[in-house]
């Protein structure tokens, strides 16, 4: 530590720049922690709200007491139904407030409602207002929500009021908390629930949501976004590692002469080495100490932006100790390894050599130097540039690796952006409908015949199901639908028999082939279908003939969706249940908006990484130019002007930047493929990599601009200091 | 060897005033009240203290004095590689102390050659390239290679033009430095202990080469500890504590 403080006193700017660079690098690794910070915040909320392990929509039942379930901690029945109001859809939820133990609703303002009263989600109404639903006026006495419904407009009332408003006789939503909240136990609970309902002539209206292990249901929705962000941590890690290695190496190498003097005065190698390592560890440690809080901040800010934007939940502050501990270990172990090697080299350099030239080993010592000196290629400036680069090759490689990493990061981030955009487009691309009307609540409430004879309107079923552990979308479609392009990549399209066409990407990931059977867990139970085709759809979609699916769901002739190739007002039928109307343009606009948020996050992370690499390049170049200050002074002494000095430096650095950009583009290409490939395999979804080609020239220009700026700054600084002052140390 | 071989004529953008020995009384350099203070505040140290100095064209001046007396500092000011804290200096008709950084660099290139005790050759360039660079920086566009090789031949390094500085001995490096300084035909040559890093025999040989330039009319200021070398100058300027003291000896 004492050697650290001494070093800081001697060259404050450079040491502090090193510490800050390492701090920023360690901070960037904090991006890794985004998924775990987001998940952690959500789990805290799950704990607070007593989130249900199983939530099931059922046909109305008198009471949950009639259900026969094993291993249950607590079961609660509720009323839940959406009501169309002039202001839009409102979910009405009836709760037995004195006995609520699951998905607990607490007022942020006011109090829980009694009969004739309501508690509403924020923004829907104020305390004291009266809301009228289905001719029932309710006095608003409280504002609040549970995080389960964080993005919805909800009116909470007493069970009796909800029954009156919705017409549900009894309860139609069952919430369960299990003693054993693990996945298998929840699956059993769903089975028990289904049997118990069926035994009394009732049934599940949709595939129940199961939330194992104290998670939050929203976690599933966010996991993709946050993993994608977390994966950028890999890029940050690589850039950080390069920076750490080159900074540490530089710190020790520049002490070659000083160490040589101590050795010549009788200094023993081992303690000298220990001191050098101590210095490197001190700087890495100091960097990590600043970097870790920075990383915690980065992770929390990003997690917060993602959560509030996509779930309406404002998370509490959380720290991923694993990631922070790992980045501290990473900084210290990395510094120790690099420092060990550099220190060994420095203490082994022959004394005569180390003492003779304060600018390191002289040019001409290696055969490659002599070959270069014999190669009169280009003008004098070009020769100087090439040889200077070759002479300080470790420094050159350091600069180029940092630039490469920066370019690769930019290209990767941009490619992730373009790939996601392309994926969004591709996801909607096979669909031909323009407008869709879909029931909001569970079940198949619409008569398929409502579509009438209009060719531009089609009835369909869209249900959530489960295949393996994957939540999938199950579509019931007419085999000769015009709403979905039915050309398959493999096999054949639906023909009305008991077959299924599956998204090709998911099928490939799960080893599902044409001709094999898949078991799909539906509300009505597990059903088996023969795979007869693979579709280019990018989601996790299963297409089944509508009649087959309706029969399997015990609802012949019933559907929950109408599609039209025309405008929304084409669907002018009177629907018996609340429905959501959306056009494909709106869907696209929503995608674009969501992408813009993700893009922003990506760019923030990208900029942090670029910042790290620019800092790294600048600090490497600062050292490089410091070592060459006598050379630059001599250049000026014989008449070299600032502009000429800049030209020499540009001649040296611009080709390095160009090579680094090319390598960075290739690395970014493979990096994007690797990240998206990883993402595809863990999410069983086909995304496809769309390389951000247009980013390559921009990144190249930026890399050249960075080195040009460094060259200009260095030339300006060198020209300012009188030659005599610089050379005095050398004379 | 005629001095013609050293003058890069073809395509040269420089104009040299023709050397006329009889004009030895023309003033090359005139310093008035020249002062250089190192450091600030309590640590301030006046290395050159109100020095008045006039040097004539073609004159050879030896700057002598005890270590720390300000010889190098004064030499740096005369060569334009440092700026005075106060005072004025007119050299080759230019108010040197008032030039901006770039103009000063150009002025140096055009009029001055500097030779350091530690040579300060560019380490990545060969002997010939070092000389060529000086020519390039001073606007010579053509014939640089030939002029460089001629200059190196003149200092006896004809066979070693392709060696890197690290492949040359100290004496050889100093001779490259001399070739580099004189190839551009400076009017003023400032040499700070040019033989200080060399053994005596080599030093004297190198010095003899430097003195050879007198025949071409170059004004030479050299700093030395060696009385024998100093005795070879037209004039000896003594410095003590930053001041020029009387006692100049004409040779
Ligand atoms: N670059 C500098 N920074 C600070 N002090 C300097 C510098 N150069 C010279 N000095 C100081 O100025 C004084 C004169 O130094 P110098 O001109 O090198 O003397 P000499 O060449 O006669 O030995 C000395 O005390 C020296 O310490
Ligand atoms: Mg001196």
């Amino acid at each position: 530590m004492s050697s650290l403080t001494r070093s800081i006193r001697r060259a404050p700017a450079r040491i502090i720049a090193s510490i800050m660079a390492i701090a920023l690098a360690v901070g960037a690794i904090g991006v890794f922690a985004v998924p775990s910070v987001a998940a952690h915040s959500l789990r805290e909320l799950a704990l607070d709200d007593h989130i249900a392990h199983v939530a099931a929509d059922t046909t109305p039942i008198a009471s949950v007491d009639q259900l026969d379930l094993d291993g249950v901690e607590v079961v609660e029945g509720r009323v839940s139904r959406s009501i169309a109001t002039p202001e839009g859809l409102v979910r009405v939820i009836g709760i037995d407030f004195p006995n609520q133990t699951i998905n607990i609703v607490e007022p942020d303002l006011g109090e829980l409602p009694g009969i004739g009263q309501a508690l509403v989600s924020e923004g829907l109404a104020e305390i004291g207002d009266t809301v009228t639903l289905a001719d029932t006026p309710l006095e608003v006495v409280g504002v609040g929500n549970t995080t389960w419904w964080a993005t919805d407009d909800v009116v909470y009332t007493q069970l009796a009021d909800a029954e009156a408003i919705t017409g549900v006789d009894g309860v139609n939503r069952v919430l369960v908390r299990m003693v054993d909240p693990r996945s298998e136990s929840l699956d059993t609970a769903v089975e028990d629930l289904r049997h118990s309902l069926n035994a009394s002539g009732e049934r599940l209206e949709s595939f129940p949501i199961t939330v194992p292990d104290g998670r939050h249901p929203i976690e599933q929705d966010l996991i993709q976004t946050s993993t994608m962000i977390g994966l950028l941590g890999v890029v940050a890690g690589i850039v950080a590692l390069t920076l750490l290695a080159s900074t540490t190496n530089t710190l020790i190498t520049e002490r070659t002469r000083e160490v040589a003097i101590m050795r010549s005065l009788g200094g023993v190698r081992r303690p000298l080495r220990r001191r050098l390592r101590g210095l490197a560890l001190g700087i890495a440690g100091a960097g990590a100490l600043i970097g870790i809080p920075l990383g915690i901040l980065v992770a929390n800010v990003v997690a917060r932006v993602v959560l509030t934007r996509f779930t309406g939940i404002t998370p509490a502050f959380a720290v991923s100790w694993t990631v922070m501990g790992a980045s501290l270990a990473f900084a210290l172990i990395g510094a120790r390894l690099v420092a060990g090697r550099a220190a060994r080299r420095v203490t082994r350099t022959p004394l005569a050599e180390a003492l003779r030239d304060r600018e390191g080993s002289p040019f001409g010592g290696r055969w490659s130097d002599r070959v270069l000196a014999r190669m009169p290629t280009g003008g004098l400036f070009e020769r100087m540039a090439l040889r200077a680069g070759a002479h300080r090759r470790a420094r050159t490689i350091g600069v180029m690796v940092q630039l490469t990493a920066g370019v690769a990061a930019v290209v990767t981030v941009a490619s992730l952006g373009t790939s996601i955009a392309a994926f969004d487009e591709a996801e909607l691309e096979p669909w031909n409908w323009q407008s869709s009307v879909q029931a909001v609540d569970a079940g198949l409430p619409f008569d398929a015949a409502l579509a009438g004879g209009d060719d531009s309107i089609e009835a369909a079923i869209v249900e959530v199901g489960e295949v393996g552990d994957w939540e999938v979308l199950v579509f019931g479609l007419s085999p000769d639908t015009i709403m979905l392009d039915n050309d398959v990549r493999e096999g054949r399209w639906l023909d009305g028999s008991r077959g299924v066409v599956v998204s090709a990407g998911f099928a490939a990931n799960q080893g599902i082939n044409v001709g094999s059977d898949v078991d799909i867990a539906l509300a009505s139970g597990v059903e088996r279908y023969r795979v007869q085709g693979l579709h280019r759809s990018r989601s996790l979609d299963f297409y089944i003939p509508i009649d087959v699916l309706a029969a399997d769901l015990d609802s012949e002739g019933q559907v929950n969706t109408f599609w039209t190739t025309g405008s929304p007002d084409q669907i002018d039928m009177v629907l018996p249940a609340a429905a959501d109307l959306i056009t494909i343009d709106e869907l696209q606009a929503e995608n674009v908006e969501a992408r813009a948020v993700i893009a922003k996050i990506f760019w923030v992370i990208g900029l942090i990484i670029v910042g790290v690499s620019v800092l790294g390049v600048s600090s490497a170049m600062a050292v490089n130019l410091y070592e060459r200050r006598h050379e630059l002074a001599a250049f000026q002494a014989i008449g070299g002007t600032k502009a000429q000095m800049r030209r020499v430096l540009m001649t040296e650095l611009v080709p390095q930047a160009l090579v680094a950009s090319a390598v960075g583009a290739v690395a970014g290409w493979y990096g994007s493929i690797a990240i998206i490939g990883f993402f595809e395999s863990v999410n069983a979804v086909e995304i496809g990599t769309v390389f951000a080609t247009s980013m390559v020239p921009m990144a190249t220009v930026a890399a050249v601009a960075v080195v040009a700026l460094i060259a200009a700054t260095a030339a300006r600084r060198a020209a300012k200091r009188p030659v005599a002052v610089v050379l005095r140390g050398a004379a | 060897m005629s001095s013609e071989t050293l003058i890069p004529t073809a395509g040269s953008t420089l104009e040299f005033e023709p050397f006329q020995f009889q004009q030895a009384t023309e003033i090359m350099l005139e310093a008035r009240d020249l002062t250089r203070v190192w450091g600030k505040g309590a640590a301030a140290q006046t290395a050159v203290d109100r020095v008045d100095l006039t040097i004539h064209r073609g004159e050879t001046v030896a700057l002598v004095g005890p270590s720390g007396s300000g010889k190098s500092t004064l030499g740096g000011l005369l060569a334009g590689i440092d700026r005075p804290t106060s005072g004025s200096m007119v050299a080759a008709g230019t108010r040197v102390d008032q030039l901006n950084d770039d103009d000063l660099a150009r002025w140096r290139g055009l009029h001055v050659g500097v030779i350091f005790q530690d040579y300060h050759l560019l380490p990545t360039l060969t002997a010939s390239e070092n000389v060529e660079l000086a020519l390039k920086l001073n606007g010579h566009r053509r014939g640089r290679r030939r002029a460089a090789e001629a200059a190196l031949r003149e200092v006896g390094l004809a066979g070693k033009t392709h060696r890197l500085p690290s492949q040359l001995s100290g004496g050889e490096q100093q001779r490259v430095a001399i070739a580099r300084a004189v190839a551009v035909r400076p009017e003023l040559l400032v040499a700070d202990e040019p033989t200080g890093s060399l053994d005596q025999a080599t030093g004297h040989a190198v010095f003899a080469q430097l003195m050879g330039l007198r025949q071409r009319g170059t004004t030479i200021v050299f700093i030395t500890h060696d009385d024998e070398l100093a005795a070879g100058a037209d004039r000896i300027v003594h410095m003590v504590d930053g001041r020029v003291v009387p006692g100049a000896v004409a040779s």
Side-chain angles (χ1 to χ4, degrees):
Chain A
M1 260 300 142
S2 72
S3 68
L4 178 61
T5 42
R6 213 172 323 117
S7 298
I8 292 179
R9 235 178 289 125
R10 201 170 51 187
R14 246 156 356 103
I15 298 289
I16 288 171
S18 301
I19 292 177
M20 290 321 291
I22 291 173
L24 200 56
V26 171
I29 302 176
V31 169
F32 259 131
V34 169
S36 84
V37 165
H40 183 266
S41 304
L42 286 172
R43 285 175 195 203
E44 294 272 288
L45 294 172
L47 214 60
D48 285 354
D49 283 7
H50 275 243
I51 288 291
H53 295 137
V54 178
D57 294 305
T58 67
T59 47
I61 54 174
S63 155
V64 291
D65 298 339
Q66 72 186 68
L67 299 170
D68 175 24
L69 305 174
D70 288 337
V72 159
E73 182 193 301
V74 52
V75 187
E76 215 184 304
R78 291 188 176 175
V79 172
S80 172
R81 186 149 287 177
S82 299
I83 302 276
T85 74
E87 286 77 40
L89 288 169
V90 168
R91 183 177 297 276
V92 176
I93 294 180
I95 300 181
D96 178 14
F97 284 106
N99 298 313
Q100 64 164 339
T101 48
I102 310 182
N103 290 0
I104 293 171
V105 179
E106 274 183 285
D108 299 326
L109 290 173
E111 54 192 47
L112 291 172
I115 292 292
Q117 297 178 327
L119 177 133
V120 301
S121 56
E122 201 189 327
L124 198 59
E126 307 287 319
I127 291 177
D129 289 355
T130 300
V131 291
T132 305
L133 296 169
D135 301 326
T136 310
L138 298 163
E139 185 203 351
V140 176
V141 294
V143 173
N145 207 343
T146 88
T147 55
W148 186 291
W149 296 118
T151 50
D152 289 37
D153 288 331
V154 191
V155 174
Y156 294 98
T157 69
Q158 290 279 356
L159 277 174
D161 283 331
E163 278 182 70
I165 293 165
T166 62
V168 170
D169 188 11
V171 293
N172 67 344
R173 190 170 173 85
V174 177
L175 306 179
V176 183
R177 277 180 71 88
M178 301 293 290
V179 176
D180 169 12
R182 280 174 305 176
S183 207
E184 311 80 67
S185 147
L186 303 192
D187 289 347
T188 316
V190 169
E191 280 308 303
D192 287 356
L193 181 60
R194 182 183 290 118
H195 285 130
S196 191
L197 286 166
N198 292 354
S200 56
E202 306 300 340
R203 64 182 188 194
L204 290 170
E205 284 277 59
S206 65
F207 190 76
I209 296 171
T210 53
V211 189
D213 292 330
R215 296 190 193 185
H216 196 285
I218 287 171
E219 202 177 315
Q220 191 58 41
D221 302 338
L222 272 188
I223 217 90
Q224 295 201 345
T225 310
S226 59
T227 355
M228 190 73 113
I229 291 169
L231 283 176
L232 283 179
V234 178
V235 184
I238 292 169
V239 178
L241 185 71
T242 325
L243 179 107
L244 183 73
S246 82
T247 309
T248 309
N249 199 23
T250 304
L251 267 171
I252 291 180
T253 309
E254 67 185 344
R255 280 168 175 70
T256 303
R257 190 176 144 89
E258 183 185 321
V259 168
I261 292 172
M262 289 197 250
R263 274 163 68 200
S264 67
L265 295 175
V268 184
R269 274 184 197 168
R270 197 178 281 273
L272 280 174
R273 277 216 291 269
R274 202 173 323 124
R275 255 170 76 180
L276 289 172
R277 287 198 307 258
L279 174 70
L281 282 177
I283 285 172
L289 278 186
I290 304 172
I292 284 172
L294 194 69
I296 292 175
L297 194 72
V298 167
N300 275 280
V301 167
V302 173
R304 176 169 294 225
V305 170
V306 172
L307 281 175
T308 44
R309 173 57 181 74
F310 292 105
T311 69
I313 291 172
T314 308
F317 195 79
V319 177
S320 165
W321 292 113
T322 330
V323 173
M324 296 309 139
S327 43
L328 177 66
F330 163 90
L332 293 181
I333 294 171
R336 172 66 182 76
L337 289 178
V338 177
R341 252 193 77 225
R344 227 171 303 128
R345 194 185 57 235
V346 163
T347 49
R348 280 201 191 137
T349 310
L351 265 186
E353 189 182 316
L355 284 173
R356 179 174 52 188
D357 194 338
R358 61 167 49 218
E359 288 158 33
S361 64
F363 185 75
R366 283 185 296 243
W367 67 267
S368 54
D369 296 349
R370 295 190 288 275
V371 168
L372 280 176
R374 287 268 166 194
M375 252 180 359
T377 39
L380 281 175
F381 286 3
E382 285 75 23
R383 290 181 228 171
M384 284 173 75
L386 183 64
R387 294 175 200 173
H391 184 199
R392 291 180 160 71
R393 71 175 93 178
R395 212 69 92 230
T396 306
I397 291 170
V399 166
M400 286 179 63
V401 170
Q402 308 263 10
L403 282 173
T404 301
V407 170
V410 170
V411 168
T412 304
V413 167
S415 296
L416 294 186
T418 48
S419 298
I420 292 172
F423 169 70
D424 278 352
E425 298 266 307
E427 209 181 11
L428 293 179
E429 181 271 329
W431 295 100
N432 300 321
W433 54 267
Q434 283 303 308
S435 319
S436 123
V437 161
Q438 194 173 352
V440 188
D441 291 321
L444 303 177
F446 308 145
D447 188 339
L450 278 173
D454 189 340
D455 279 350
S456 68
I457 300 181
E458 245 179 68
I461 299 171
V462 182
E463 280 287 315
V464 172
E466 218 177 66
V467 172
D469 277 333
W470 299 93
E471 193 178 278
V472 300
L473 274 185
V474 183
F475 291 83
L477 305 163
S478 160
D480 32 55
T481 180
I482 55 163
M483 298 301 168
L484 178 68
D485 283 348
N486 61 14
D487 41 322
V488 286
R489 274 195 199 162
E490 220 181 290
R492 60 199 159 78
W493 180 245
L494 302 176
D495 49 21
S497 68
R498 201 178 166 71
V500 62
V501 170
V502 186
S503 298
F506 181 73
N509 182 279
Q510 297 291 299
I512 297 172
N513 301 306
V514 172
S516 60
D517 287 332
V518 279
D519 289 332
I520 308 180
L522 297 165
S524 52
V526 177
E527 302 287 350
R528 176 164 291 187
Y529 305 88
R530 171 70 39 96
V531 177
Q532 66 182 54
L534 301 180
H535 194 266
R536 70 171 185 277
S537 142
R538 298 291 187 88
S539 315
L540 277 58
D541 289 355
F542 284 73
Y543 308 118
I544 296 169
I546 187 164
D547 296 338
V548 174
L549 185 60
D552 289 343
L553 292 170
D554 303 322
S555 306
E556 263 116 321
Q558 292 295 107
V559 299
N560 64 353
T561 305
F562 291 105
W563 286 319
T564 167
T565 50
S567 65
D569 46 74
Q570 203 134 358
I571 308 174
D572 57 355
M573 57 201 84
V574 177
L575 296 171
D580 212 3
L581 189 145
I582 191 156
T583 67
I584 206 124
D585 296 338
E586 284 164 353
L587 213 54
Q588 245 146 10
E590 273 175 25
N591 281 347
V592 168
E593 207 187 314
R595 272 203 316 266
V597 176
I598 296 179
K600 245 181 244 158
I601 295 167
F602 278 15
W603 279 119
V604 168
I605 297 167
L607 283 180
I608 295 176
I609 298 172
V610 167
V612 171
S613 98
V614 169
L615 253 178
V617 172
S618 320
S619 95
M621 276 315 292
V623 174
N624 184 340
L625 292 166
Y626 176 78
E627 289 171 345
R628 281 156 69 183
R629 64 198 185 284
H630 298 145
E631 204 177 312
L632 290 174
F635 183 82
Q636 292 180 82
I638 58 174
T641 60
K642 186 165 60 188
Q644 285 166 324
M645 214 157 18
R646 191 170 53 223
R647 258 193 59 204
V648 171
L649 292 173
M650 288 282 278
T651 313
E652 179 177 334
L653 290 172
V654 168
Q656 290 177 18
L658 291 177
V659 171
S661 299
V663 178
V666 173
W669 162 253
Y670 283 109
S672 316
I673 289 177
I675 287 182
I676 288 177
F678 176 78
F679 188 77
E680 283 175 328
S681 78
V682 296
N683 289 291
V685 58
E686 178 186 347
I687 294 185
T689 312
V690 177
F691 193 57
T693 319
S694 65
M695 207 57 216
V696 175
M698 282 193 257
T700 307
V701 168
V704 171
V706 166
V707 298
L709 197 69
I710 289 174
T713 313
R716 185 153 32 83
R717 286 234 194 107
K720 253 197 205 134
R721 294 191 71 198
V723 175
V725 176
V726 180
L727 290 184
R728 168 169 146 94
Chain B
M1 185 173 300
S2 92
S3 61
E4 281 306 311
T5 52
L6 273 178
I7 306 172
T9 44
S12 165
T13 60
L14 295 178
E15 288 169 54
F16 293 105
E17 283 172 46
F19 168 61
Q20 291 167 302
F21 217 104
Q22 57 272 35
Q23 279 194 357
T25 50
E26 187 193 325
I27 290 174
M28 171 69 209
L29 189 149
E30 185 156 38
R32 287 282 160 263
D33 249 354
L34 207 58
T35 303
R36 177 62 159 110
V37 182
W38 291 114
K40 282 187 188 120
Q45 188 184 3
T46 310
V48 171
D49 193 3
R50 288 165 290 155
V51 164
D52 292 329
L53 187 65
T54 305
I55 295 173
H56 293 98
R57 198 172 279 278
E59 203 178 3
T60 299
V61 176
L63 209 51
V64 301
S67 179
S69 58
K71 305 182 295 293
S72 292
T73 306
L74 180 59
L77 292 173
L78 300 182
I81 58 170
D82 193 13
R83 290 174 173 284
T85 310
S86 63
S88 70
M89 192 175 94
V90 177
T94 310
R95 237 343 252 282
V96 178
D97 55 290
Q98 290 179 342
L99 294 176
N100 69 29
D101 290 338
D102 269 348
D103 289 340
L104 186 63
R106 271 183 221 110
W107 175 85
R108 260 194 317 261
L110 278 175
H111 303 279
V112 192
V114 205
I115 298 170
F116 304 96
Q117 179 180 340
D118 277 2
Y119 337 124
H120 287 301
L121 299 178
L122 294 185
T124 53
L125 296 182
T126 62
S128 143
E129 288 166 340
N130 260 284
V131 181
E132 283 177 55
L133 179 67
L135 291 166
K136 179 185 170 80
L137 293 180
N138 294 294
H140 296 250
R141 287 181 212 282
R142 264 174 288 153
R144 290 197 298 246
R145 162 70 55 84
R146 265 200 8 252
E149 305 218 316
L152 286 167
R153 207 178 313 127
E154 183 126 331
V155 295
L157 288 175
K160 301 187 171 172
T161 56
H162 290 296
R163 298 266 184 101
L164 287 165
S166 63
Q167 297 168 312
L168 294 169
S169 73
E172 287 168 339
Q173 287 188 61
Q174 193 59 297
R175 281 188 274 163
V176 175
I178 292 172
R180 179 177 70 174
V182 304
V184 296
R185 293 235 42 186
E187 292 154 83
L188 173 66
L189 193 74
V190 179
D192 190 350
E193 300 190 38
T195 61
S197 292
L198 309 174
D199 63 77
Q200 206 184 15
T202 315
H204 281 224
V206 166
F207 187 76
Q209 236 134 25
L210 196 58
M211 287 300 113
L213 297 170
R214 296 166 85 177
Q215 288 138 33
R216 290 206 264 129
T218 312
T219 311
I220 302 173
V221 177
F222 67 92
I223 297 165
T224 186
H225 277 118
D226 188 328
D227 290 343
E228 211 178 308
L229 298 185
D234 297 328
R235 181 155 59 115
I236 297 177
V237 172
H238 284 275
M239 283 194 79
V240 177
D241 286 345
R243 309 227 44 174
V244 170
V245 296
V249 180
S251 66

